[in-house]
Amino acid sequence: MVYYLISEFSITGMSCAACSSAVERAAGRVDGVEAAHVNLAAERLRVRSEVDVSDAVINAVKKAGFGALPSQGFKKQSMLDEERRAKELRGKKKRLIVAIAFAIPLFYISMGTMVGLPSPVAPDNPMLFAAVQLLLLIPIVVAGWGFYVRGIGALFRLHPNMDSLISVGTIASLAYSIYSMWRISVGNAHAAHELYFESIGVIITLVMLGKYLEARAKGKTGEALKSLIELAPDNAVIQDKNGVEREVKVEELMPGDLVIVRPGSSIPADGTIVRGATSIDESMLTGESLPVDKSVGDHVTGGSVNLGGAIVFRTVNVGEDTTLSAMIRLVEEAQGTKLPIARLADRISGIFVPVVGAIAVIAALIWLVAGETVEHVLRIFVSVLVIACPCALGLATPTAIMVGTGRGAKLGILIKDGEALETACRLNVLAIDKTGTLTEGRPSVTDVISFEMSSSEMLTLFATGEKMSEHPLGKAIVEYAEKAGLMPDNPDEFEALIGRGARAKAEGKLLLMGNADLMKESGVELGSEVRAHMERLAQQGKTPMLLAADGDLCGIVAVADKIKDEAPDAVERLKDQRIDVVLITGDNANTAEAIGRQAGIEDLRSNVRPEEKAGIISQLQSEGKLVGMAGDGINDAVALAQADVGFSLNTGTDVAIAGASIILMRSDLRGISDAVSLSRRTMRTIKQNLFWAFAYNCIGIPIAAGVLYAFGGPLLNPMMAALAMSFSSVTVLLNALRLKSVKI
């Protein structure tokens, strides 16, 4: 088996999808790199490799014309990215103000006289008229110099981008305008009407405005992740062995430290309360708005807020091992994934700029051959170059994923990868495990039926056999016996029999504890009376557990696990979403029917062994269905991995959580329907963004090429083309940001 390293880098200098493609190609060509993916919205590069290739990747990206720095860990890197983006935004704002300050008088001088406005520079002095415009243009070009550095550099590296289109278009206009000034100097006063200084200035200014608005909007797409990161406090108050309090950095906490958390303070790590009682606000972690009461022995999670009294807790997980750190890591990974739906956009983006350049040249040549003036041809050429917007294509998917997964995190829905986000919206079947998922996972004893011995003797023997069991049903029997004042001992031997029960040796006897299948395969006879008892109990929704000692049946203990209060509503919501619900349980048909009736589930799969769950999922998939699986136990791990989308409750085992692709931070099944709704909203937004990006370019480029003009329609002004281009990117971003406030 090959193990891969995942390396992340912060990338600077990207302006569009063509830039991100260039970075991916540069990183992908490095020896040892198995895959490279750029998230344009987050400005991150993720590389999968067999060995550490960080230095080689950084050098390759720099040679491609972009900046690259290794990620410094999510919290530090987030702070660095925030500082960098804030600095860049301030710089963009200053340069935009300069551009606007000179673009307004430039436009006024050039166009004012056409509408009868007085001009400080009389057009009857054409050379002065041209010279003043050129002087006003220079500060605008200097303010937008980054376009030319990036654009021309990318052009020479044979990886043209959006900046290349703008650079070529404006340079062509500038060259023609300077040529017109030369014509004025040799006596051709009419050439003053063929100056494009104001177009160049306004184009640069509008593009800068679009980039500024885009940068502001992009910053907002990561606000949810930033909010998660900010949940962790910087400092913590610990109590040493002598009872002395001192303040330390959160990074300095060690497992086993005693931490004091006063009212209003954030909890700095995961741990267990050893002193005090309080109410904890876990809303940012679970989406649950109501505070949770906590006391000695209860678990607290780093990032939650202490609302009540002061508490002291002992740390269990610190630093990168906390639940909050895991959440942040999962959200970052999900935001960095590339969906299958984005691959078409990526392929188009890779060839977009060269194709647009070719269209601009061909359109210009056609109009030139058709006998149009150089002025007309230049307008066509520049308009095509400027109106094209690869940014919208590049931003369509990642911005929606970033906002959607961030919104999910605030709702207590952790989406581990982008494919799960895409697939969840198309699910038509959901298989649900019973114990701990559909039910509360806290079974309790309801009936004790003994044969040949007293109830207390039988119960003591049963509890002794189950004393070392980790199964919820076994634990329930032990707990019931202890509460009844019985004192079960540890068995001499114990063996769990997954899906059937357990085998133990105690008091010199071989004990069998489990279901009818275990008794049958062990040769223990079940009479009609026993079977009648079991059927009656099962019809009541209870799970009958049998005890046999040395081959003789001793009694029955019935255990019931109450279904969760929200389960019927959760099932109804799923049905409203046209998702069929299937209950999978190891219980017999009667028990399954009783539980299904309470939850509103008609499709029941009973007597299912753990290893058979994945087979049921596979069978449903073979029928052409997209299947989700919800579970929380070790025995659900294979089925969760087999399902198209696996849902695990945060209360589940580590194995189950690892096998799932969506984790519900609340033990609430309604989170599944919320996740499906979020997936559908996000995918709808992505499709809207992609449609707009494709439609905009498919409509805008032909108009800029003069298709409407050829049939008597208007000719697009390059300044309007620049405005449309900027509007396209901002529209995609604003549409993605709507997911922040969408009601699920």
Side-chain angles (χ1 to χ4, degrees):
M1 181 179 293
V2 179
Y3 294 92
Y4 292 104
L5 293 174
I6 304 296
S7 306
E8 287 197 349
F9 306 86
S10 178
I11 306 298
T12 58
M14 296 188 297
S15 61
C16 66
C19 297
S20 62
S21 297
V23 173
E24 285 182 353
R25 284 194 298 270
R29 285 194 292 265
V30 173
D31 290 340
V33 172
E34 195 271 337
H37 167 58
V38 170
N39 184 328
L40 178 60
E43 298 177 319
R44 296 284 183 89
L45 165 66
R46 171 173 283 197
V47 170
R48 187 168 70 219
S49 59
E50 296 182 16
V51 296
D52 186 7
V53 292
S54 298
D55 291 341
V57 167
I58 289 172
N59 290 332
V61 171
K62 286 182 177 178
K63 286 181 181 178
F66 305 92
L69 291 170
S71 180
Q72 301 295 310
F74 58 80
K75 187 167 185 177
K76 185 177 180 181
Q77 188 61 50
S78 177
M79 292 174 60
L80 292 173
D81 287 346
E82 188 70 19
E83 291 173 2
R84 175 178 59 79
R85 286 177 183 144
K87 184 179 178 180
E88 288 180 356
L89 196 61
R90 288 193 299 269
K92 287 179 186 289
K93 185 177 181 179
K94 289 178 181 177
R95 290 190 293 274
L96 176 61
I97 291 172
V98 171
I100 292 173
F102 285 91
I104 291 174
L106 172 60
F107 188 79
Y108 181 86
I109 291 172
S110 173
M111 309 298 292
T113 55
M114 294 184 181
V115 292
L117 295 174
S119 175
V121 182
D124 55 4
N125 188 340
M127 181 54 73
L128 179 61
F129 183 69
V132 170
Q133 290 184 59
L134 177 59
L135 289 173
L136 289 170
L137 176 63
I138 291 173
I140 302 174
V141 173
V142 172
W145 190 248
F147 293 132
Y148 298 96
V149 173
R150 294 188 297 269
I152 302 302
L155 199 62
F156 279 115
R157 287 188 294 272
L158 302 180
H159 297 305
N161 54 27
M162 189 198 76
D163 292 336
S164 302
L165 298 178
I166 295 170
S167 298
V168 171
T170 54
I171 288 173
S173 299
L174 180 61
Y176 186 76
S177 298
I178 291 173
Y179 169 67
S180 296
M181 286 184 70
W182 176 81
R183 289 167 62 198
I184 294 170
S185 70
V186 296
N188 188 351
H190 182 74
H193 299 291
E194 299 179 15
L195 299 172
Y196 282 92
F197 295 129
E198 87 287 347
S199 294
I200 300 167
V202 174
I203 286 172
I204 294 174
T205 302
L206 288 173
V207 173
M208 290 175 70
L209 175 63
K211 287 294 180 183
Y212 174 72
L213 296 175
E214 181 184 311
R216 287 192 61 179
K218 279 169 69 176
K220 293 181 180 180
T221 61
E223 283 183 352
L225 182 59
K226 182 185 174 186
S227 299
L228 281 176
I229 292 171
E230 290 176 346
L231 287 177
D234 295 324
N235 301 308
V237 178
I238 65 171
Q239 190 176 70
D240 62 21
K241 296 178 181 179
N242 300 318
V244 178
E245 297 181 12
R246 60 188 179 92
E247 190 172 283
V248 299
K249 294 286 187 183
V250 169
E251 294 81 5
E252 298 173 10
L253 287 176
M254 300 289 289
D257 283 343
L258 291 177
V259 181
I260 301 170
V261 185
R262 294 182 171 84
S265 299
S266 295
I267 294 172
D270 299 348
T272 304
I273 296 177
V274 297
R275 191 163 63 249
T278 187
S279 294
I280 302 290
D281 179 4
E282 298 179 336
S283 58
M284 282 299 296
L285 301 173
T286 66
E288 178 59 65
S289 58
L290 296 176
V292 182
D293 293 335
K294 301 278 187 178
S295 58
V296 175
D298 288 335
H299 181 79
V300 292
T301 305
S304 55
V305 180
N306 182 15
L307 299 178
I311 59 170
V312 179
F313 76 94
R314 191 178 302 279
T315 59
V316 176
N317 297 317
V318 299
E320 301 283 321
D321 297 325
T322 63
T323 300
L324 178 61
S325 296
M327 287 179 63
I328 294 168
R329 202 155 43 245
L330 289 174
V331 174
E332 277 199 319
E333 288 174 0
Q335 292 182 347
T337 57
K338 182 172 289 186
L339 302 191
I341 195 173
R343 290 169 188 161
L344 175 62
D346 284 348
R347 287 197 294 269
I348 293 174
S349 298
I351 60 170
F352 185 88
V353 174
V355 168
V356 169
I359 292 173
V361 171
I362 292 169
L365 289 173
I366 290 172
W367 285 110
L368 188 64
V369 171
E372 292 289 344
T373 64
V374 175
E375 182 184 3
H376 178 93
V377 171
L378 184 63
R379 177 179 289 189
I380 293 288
F381 179 73
V382 175
S383 294
V384 172
L385 292 179
V386 172
I387 202 170
C389 188
C391 297
L393 284 172
L395 294 169
T397 301
T399 51
I401 292 175
M402 288 182 69
V403 180
T405 53
R407 176 66 173 153
K410 285 194 170 185
L411 294 170
I413 303 167
L414 290 186
I415 301 166
K416 292 169 68 174
D417 62 78
E419 287 199 24
L421 183 67
E422 182 174 351
T423 306
C425 71
R426 297 182 285 115
L427 289 179
N428 42 41
V429 176
L430 179 74
I432 298 182
D433 171 61
K434 180 180 79 74
T435 305
T437 305
L438 190 67
T439 63
E440 292 181 346
R442 296 191 297 271
S444 57
V445 174
T446 59
D447 301 81
V448 178
I449 304 170
S450 62
F451 310 119
E452 308 296 331
M453 63 177 68
S454 69
S455 295
S456 60
E457 288 176 327
M458 191 276 293
L459 187 59
T460 301
L461 193 59
F462 210 140
T464 298
E466 294 281 9
K467 191 70 180 290
M468 298 178 66
S469 174
E470 291 294 321
H471 196 281
L473 299 184
K475 287 183 174 181
I477 294 171
V478 174
E479 183 179 344
Y480 183 82
E482 290 175 344
K483 285 183 178 179
L486 306 176
M487 302 297 292
D489 296 322
N490 288 323
D492 299 320
E493 297 178 14
F494 178 83
E495 179 186 6
L497 305 171
I498 297 176
R500 292 168 294 163
R503 181 187 293 114
K505 281 188 179 181
E507 300 180 9
K509 298 177 180 179
L510 175 63
L511 304 179
L512 296 174
M513 301 141 301
N515 56 25
D517 288 343
L518 176 60
M519 300 301 157
K520 183 179 179 180
E521 70 181 37
S522 302
V524 179
E525 293 292 331
L526 303 180
S528 58
E529 183 184 356
V530 174
R531 294 186 182 279
H533 279 303
M534 292 181 67
E535 186 173 350
R536 175 181 59 81
L537 293 167
Q539 287 174 347
Q540 296 172 0
K542 301 172 182 177
T543 301
M545 300 279 290
L546 300 164
L547 170 67
D550 292 334
D552 297 324
L553 192 66
C554 300
I556 304 172
V557 174
V559 180
D561 190 6
K562 181 177 175 291
I563 73 163
K564 294 177 178 177
D565 293 337
E566 77 276 3
D569 184 40
V571 171
E572 190 62 31
R573 286 191 188 188
L574 290 165
K575 289 179 178 179
D576 290 342
Q577 293 174 318
R578 298 186 299 279
I579 297 175
D580 298 326
V581 183
V582 179
L583 174 62
I584 300 178
T585 176
D587 286 327
N588 60 48
N590 289 326
T591 303
E593 186 177 347
I595 295 294
R597 187 169 54 252
Q598 295 176 51
I601 303 174
E602 294 83 24
D603 193 346
L604 311 171
R605 312 294 173 96
S606 57
N607 295 304
V608 179
R609 295 187 176 184
E611 64 271 17
E612 296 172 339
K613 291 182 179 181
I616 293 174
I617 304 295
S618 180
Q619 179 190 343
L620 291 167
Q621 290 170 328
S622 68
E623 297 171 6
K625 297 174 180 176
L626 275 174
V627 185
M629 170 70 192
D632 73 330
I634 294 174
N635 55 6
D636 300 321
V638 178
L640 287 167
Q642 173 65 41
D644 296 290
V645 181
F647 298 88
S648 175
L649 306 183
N650 192 45
T651 52
T653 63
D654 291 342
V655 176
I657 291 173
S661 45
I662 295 178
I663 300 167
L664 307 178
M665 296 302 293
R666 291 184 286 160
S667 185
D668 190 330
L669 285 173
R670 288 172 295 195
I672 297 174
S673 67
D674 289 343
V676 171
S677 295
L678 179 64
S679 169
R680 290 177 178 178
R681 298 277 187 136
T682 303
M683 294 310 300
R684 191 183 307 153
T685 300
I686 289 174
K687 290 173 181 178
Q688 289 169 350
N689 283 350
L690 287 173
F691 174 80
W692 166 253
F694 282 122
Y696 164 81
N697 284 292
C698 290
I699 295 171
I701 292 174
I703 292 174
V707 171
L708 293 182
Y709 183 78
F711 294 95
L715 184 64
L716 187 67
N717 188 289
M719 289 183 287
M720 296 302 299
L723 183 63
M725 185 274 292
S726 298
F727 176 73
S728 176
S729 296
V730 174
T731 300
V732 165
L733 283 161
L734 292 177
N735 190 44
L737 288 170
R738 290 192 305 118
L739 288 169
K740 289 175 64 178
S741 56
V742 69
K743 292 184 178 180
I744 303 297

